[in-house]
Amino acid sequence: MSNPDNHFEIERKYLIEYPNAEELAAMPGARDIYITQTYLLSDVGERRVRKWEEGDKTSYITTFKLKKSAIKRIEIEEEISEREYNALLETADPAMHPLHKRRIILPYGSHTAEIDIYPFFTDRAILEVELSEEDEVFELPDFVTVIREVTGEREYKNPVLAKYVKECADMGESCTL
């Protein structure tokens, strides 16, 4: 394994008004991806696997993350085979439910906007922007309406959402936040 210090993810996260996904997906340079994200048991950091479906292509990715600050994490991702993905699903964290989301990736300026649309949100979505430096100055895209920054808010972190969805499923309820 390579030195994990070379794999930093610096990310800011924003709560946005529920977007018109079809309009966003039709924008120049847009990528429209359906993701199933499953968290795995882990003693250190966060481990997950993802199934990415983009058009007729399916990819499988395993990720390890370790928090360094509110917006900076060590992140190591590796594409894996479907067989490896299915084997890793055997170590899924039983306290969490797989998250399903539609991600629309859009270029804007020198950055990329990743808009995650979850089936349990009816009025909002999440916009993520990856940065080169923690104090990097950037403008938010004008093709979304930002409600507020939620970078440090625990309730908008994917592992927390996966636990919430699991609780709803266990109670036989549909989840809406």
Side-chain angles (χ1 to χ4, degrees):
M1 184 181 294
S2 60
N3 180 354
D5 290 332
N6 295 329
H7 301 280
F8 283 114
E9 171 191 61
I10 301 170
E11 181 178 82
R12 304 276 294 267
K13 190 179 276 197
Y14 297 86
L15 190 64
I16 62 172
E17 288 182 7
Y18 198 86
N20 182 324
E22 301 316 313
E23 281 183 13
L24 292 176
M27 291 177 70
R31 294 178 61 201
D32 194 1
I33 302 164
Y34 291 86
I35 298 173
T36 301
Q37 182 166 300
T38 305
Y39 288 89
L40 308 176
L41 292 169
S42 179
D43 293 332
V44 177
E46 172 188 304
R47 289 181 58 227
R48 69 172 189 231
V49 290
R50 281 181 168 169
K51 178 180 179 181
W52 280 56
E53 298 173 275
E54 183 175 7
D56 61 356
K57 182 179 183 225
T58 300
S59 302
Y60 304 92
I61 301 163
T62 182
T63 304
F64 169 77
K65 289 187 179 191
L66 185 63
K67 182 178 178 178
K68 298 303 267 179
S69 74
I71 69 170
K72 185 176 186 178
R73 292 181 293 281
I74 292 173
E75 179 182 73
I76 301 170
E77 288 190 325
E78 179 183 0
E79 190 162 343
I80 57 175
S81 69
E82 182 178 8
R83 182 175 170 203
E84 291 169 309
Y85 170 81
N86 288 326
L88 285 170
L89 288 178
E90 297 296 320
T91 65
D93 187 334
M96 298 185 191
H97 196 279
L99 278 180
H100 300 279
K101 59 185 172 181
R102 180 178 183 183
R103 172 170 285 175
I104 300 171
I105 301 173
L106 290 160
Y108 80 99
S110 62
H111 293 91
T112 300
E114 296 181 350
I115 299 167
D116 288 342
I117 302 168
Y118 297 91
F120 47 81
F121 285 154
T122 58
D123 60 346
R124 60 200 145 169
I126 301 290
L127 166 74
E128 296 177 357
V129 178
E130 289 200 22
L131 306 172
S132 300
E133 301 292 330
E134 287 186 70
D135 59 354
E136 182 177 348
V137 177
F138 67 98
E139 288 189 36
L140 290 164
D142 61 0
F143 48 79
V144 295
T145 302
V146 175
I147 298 170
R148 70 176 190 278
E149 183 171 4
V150 294
T151 301
E153 294 185 31
R154 188 175 185 281
E155 61 268 25
Y156 290 105
K157 300 205 177 292
N158 281 314
V160 174
L161 294 174
K163 284 182 181 178
Y164 171 77
V165 172
K166 168 77 168 127
E167 291 169 5
C168 291
D170 287 349
M171 291 187 293
E173 299 178 9
S174 70
C175 296
T176 54
L177 289 172

